[in-house]
C-alpha cells in the first residue's frame, strides 16, 4: 500500500534498438492520461555493456528495485543477462501475456483473445547448465511445488477477476513425468478450489497444433517457463505478430512491463517501429496502479487509431512511431 499521495515512481529502461523509440511513444501516451507518474530513466543492454562494461549496472538494478513499477523496452544480445536477471532480482514469478487481435489488423484469428500465464522463475530458465564432460552438456529443469502452486493460483485468480471461465494447464507429463507431473498436481489442487472455472490439461505439442487450428478452445494457458515462452510467440503469430503483444512480470513486491518483441536492430533508429506493444504495456502499468479508467482510455484510443488505419507500416498504415503515438493521444477523451 502506498503511504503518500505523490506520483507513482516508475523506473524506465528503454534499452537497445527500437526499445527507446517505442518507450518514448508509450511515455507520451502515459503523460497524456494525466495520471501522476514520475519517470526515472536507467541504462541497460548492449550499448550499456559497451559504454559501462556491464549490461545491467548496479544503479539500474537499484532503481528497478526502488521503483513502484518498471517500464522496459527491449535489449539486444544481452537480453538474457538483463531481463532474466531483472525477473529474478525483482522476484516476478508471473509472466502475464495477454494476446488479442485488433480490428483492422490482418491476422489469422481476428476475434482471438488468449492469456498466457507463464511461470517466470524456474523450469529450464534456472540457469543450471553444465558441461559434465566434453561433448556432454546438461540443462536442469527445476519444477517446484511452491512455484507451481503460486503460478496456478495466479492463473485462477486472474480468470476470476477478469471474467474468464477456463484455465488450461500445459505440460509434457507423458515424458517429463516427475517434473510436469508435479506441475500438474499443483495445478489440480488449486483448480479444485475454483469449481466455477473449468480446468483442463493439454500436452504442449498438441497445444501448438490446436492453437493454430482451433485457438477458440483456449482462454488462459497456464504454463511452465519455456512452454510459455514458445507458445506466447505462437499466439502472437495468430493475432498479427509480436508488435502487438505486451507482457507483465509480476511478483508480490515488484512489477515490470515489457513488450514481448525484441530490439529489432534492422529497423532501429528510423522511427518506424510499431509502438503498440509498448503502449499496451503502459496500459497494463496503469491497471497495476489501479488506474482502470485511464488504462481503458488508452486501450480504446489505440484500438480506434489502429482500426482507422492510423498505424505504422507493419499495421498497413503509413505513420511513424511518433505519429502513431500522437494519433492515439488525439483519440483519448
Ligand atoms: C521473452 C524473451 C526472453 C525469454 C529472452 C530474451 C531471454 O524471449 O521475453 O519471451 O526467453 O523469456
Ligand atoms: Mn520469448
Amino acid at each position: 500500500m502506498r503511504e503518500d499521495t505523490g506520483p507513482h515512481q516508475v523506473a524506465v529502461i528503454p534499452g537497445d534498438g527500437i526499445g527507446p523509440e517505442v518507450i518514448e511513444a508509450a511515455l507520451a501516451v502515459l503523460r497524456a492520461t494525466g495520471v501522476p507518474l514520475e519517470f526515472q530513466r536507467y541504462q541497460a543492454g548492449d550499448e550499456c555493456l559497451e559504454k559501462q562494461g556491464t549490461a545491467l549496472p548496479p544503479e539500474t538494478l537499484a532503481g528497478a528495485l526502488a521503483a513502484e513499477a518498471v517500464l522496459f523496452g527491449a535489449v539486444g544480445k544481452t537480453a538474457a543477462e538483463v531481463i532474466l536477471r531483472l525477473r529474478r532480482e525483482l522476484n516476478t514469478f508471473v509472466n502475464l501475456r495477454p494476446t488479442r487481435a485488433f480490428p483492422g489488423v490482418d491476422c489469422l484469428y481476428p476475434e482471438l483473445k488468449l492469456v498466457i500465464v507463464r511461470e517466470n522463475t524456474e523450469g529450464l530458465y534456472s540457469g543450471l547448465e553444465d558441461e559434465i564432460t566434453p561433448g556432454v552438456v546438461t540443462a536442469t529443469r527445476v519444477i517446484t511445488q511452491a512455484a507451481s502452486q503460486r503460478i496456478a493460483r495466479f492463473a485462477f485468480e486472474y480468470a476470476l477477476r477478469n471474467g474468464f471461465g477456463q484455465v488450461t494447464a500445459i505440460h509434457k507429463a507423458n515424458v517429463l513425468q516427475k517434473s510436469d507431473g508435479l506441475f500438474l498436481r499443483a495445478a489440480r489442487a488449486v483448480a479444485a478450489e475454483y469449481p466455477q472455472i473449468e480446468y483442463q490439461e493439454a500436452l504442449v505439442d498438441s497445444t501448438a497444433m490446436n492453437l493454430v487450428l482451433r485457438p477458440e478452445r483456449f482462454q488462459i494457458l497456464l504454463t511452465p517457463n519455456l512452454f510459455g515462452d514458445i507458445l506466447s510467440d505462437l499466439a502472437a503469430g495468430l493475432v498479427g505478430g509480436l508488435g502487438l503483444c505486451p507482457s507483465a512480470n509480476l511478483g508480490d513486491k515488484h512489477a515490470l512491463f515489457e513488450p514481448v518483441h525484441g530490439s529489432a536492430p534492422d529497423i532501429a533508429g528510423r522511427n518506424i517501429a510499431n509502438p503498440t506493444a509498448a503502449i499496451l504495456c503502459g496500459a497494463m502499468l496503469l491497471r497495476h496502479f489501479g488506474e482502470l479508467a485511464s488504462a481503458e482510455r488508452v486501450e480504446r484510443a489505440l484500438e480506434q487509431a489502429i482500426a482507422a488505419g492510423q498505424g505504422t507500416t507493419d499495421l498497413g498504415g503509413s505513420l511513424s512511431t511518433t505519429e502513431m503515438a500522437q494519433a492515439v493521444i488525439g483519440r483519448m477523451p
Side-chain angles (χ1 to χ4, degrees), residues 6-27:
H8 292 285
Q9 302 295 322
V10 180
V12 178
I13 306 178
D16 301 314
I18 61 168
E21 299 165 53
V22 297
I23 287 298
E24 274 321 309
L27 292 180

Side-chain angles (χ1 to χ4, degrees), residues 137-212:
V137 174
T138 60
T140 303
R141 184 169 185 267
V142 178
I143 302 285
T144 66
Q145 184 173 358
S148 303
Q149 238 165 28
R150 190 171 58 171
I151 194 67
R153 186 162 305 284
F154 179 90
F156 280 92
E157 282 296 319
Y158 184 89
L160 213 54
R161 277 184 274 115
N162 294 279
F164 290 92
Q166 180 216 69
V167 170
T168 307
I170 307 301
H171 66 96
K172 189 72 188 175
N174 52 347
V175 175
L176 303 166
Q177 296 183 2
K178 286 189 181 161
S179 53
D180 274 357
L182 177 57
F183 183 78
L184 287 181
R185 279 200 304 283
R188 278 173 209 157
V190 174
E193 295 176 38
Y194 296 83
Q196 64 277 60
I197 310 281
E198 184 197 344
Y199 171 68
Q200 43 179 32
E201 295 172 352
L203 286 161
V204 63
D205 48 353
S206 72
T207 299
M209 180 190 70
N210 282 321
L211 278 172
V212 173

Side-chain angles (χ1 to χ4, degrees), residues 43-319:
Q43 306 286 317
D46 298 6
E47 213 181 298
C48 180
L49 174 64
E50 241 168 69
K51 285 194 195 139
Q52 303 192 33
T54 167
L56 185 64
E59 37 312 350
T60 302
L61 182 55
L65 283 164
E68 293 176 69
V70 182
L71 185 59
F72 185 91
V75 298
K77 293 194 180 70
T78 53
E81 286 163 70
V82 176
I83 193 62
L84 297 187
R85 173 108 193 272
L86 281 169
R87 288 174 187 165
R88 195 162 47 241
E89 299 276 354
L90 301 179
N91 197 16
T92 53
F93 55 86
V94 179
N95 197 321
L96 179 64
R97 301 192 151 182
T99 308
R100 54 157 294 198
F102 283 83
V105 178
D106 187 29
C107 70
L108 287 171
Y109 292 99
E111 305 286 315
L112 191 61
K113 186 175 169 194
L114 277 176
V115 178
I116 292 166
V117 175
R118 166 183 174 193
E119 204 289 324
N120 212 25
T121 63
E122 56 180 27
L124 271 170
Y125 281 69
S126 303
L128 302 172
E129 275 197 308
D130 251 323
E131 182 178 42
I132 49 177
T133 191
V136 184
V137 174
T138 60
T140 303
R141 184 169 185 267
V142 178
I143 302 285
T144 66
Q145 184 173 358
S148 303
Q149 238 165 28
R150 190 171 58 171
I151 194 67
R153 186 162 305 284
F154 179 90
F156 280 92
E157 282 296 319
Y158 184 89
L160 213 54
R161 277 184 274 115
N162 294 279
F164 290 92
Q166 180 216 69
V167 170
T168 307
I170 307 301
H171 66 96
K172 189 72 188 175
N174 52 347
V175 175
L176 303 166
Q177 296 183 2
K178 286 189 181 161
S179 53
D180 274 357
L182 177 57
F183 183 78
L184 287 181
R185 279 200 304 283
R188 278 173 209 157
V190 174
E193 295 176 38
Y194 296 83
Q196 64 277 60
I197 310 281
E198 184 197 344
Y199 171 68
Q200 43 179 32
E201 295 172 352
L203 286 161
V204 63
D205 48 353
S206 72
T207 299
M209 180 190 70
N210 282 321
L211 278 172
V212 173
L213 293 180
R214 41 188 91 85
E216 66 283 352
R217 283 193 182 178
F218 303 100
Q219 293 183 24
I220 294 185
L221 303 179
L222 163 63
T223 76
N225 206 339
L226 183 65
F227 297 163
D229 177 47
I230 296 167
L231 293 183
S232 58
D233 273 29
L234 195 161
L238 302 175
V239 299
L242 287 175
L244 303 169
C245 300
S247 75
N249 297 268
L250 305 171
D252 289 331
K253 296 207 185 104
H254 302 285
L256 181 151
F257 301 86
E258 52 163 335
V260 180
H261 65 70
S263 64
D266 50 324
I267 59 161
R270 293 165 54 195
N271 196 22
I272 59 169
N274 180 354
T276 299
I279 293 171
L280 290 171
C281 284
M284 288 182 97
L285 179 142
L286 290 170
R287 204 162 267 128
H288 173 73
F289 287 142
E291 302 283 354
L292 306 188
S294 294
E296 271 161 30
R297 275 167 69 213
V298 168
E299 285 165 351
R300 196 128 326 132
L302 180 64
E303 275 163 29
Q304 287 171 3
I306 292 174
Q310 293 179 304
T312 43
T313 48
D314 60 307
L315 293 172
S318 59
L319 301 189

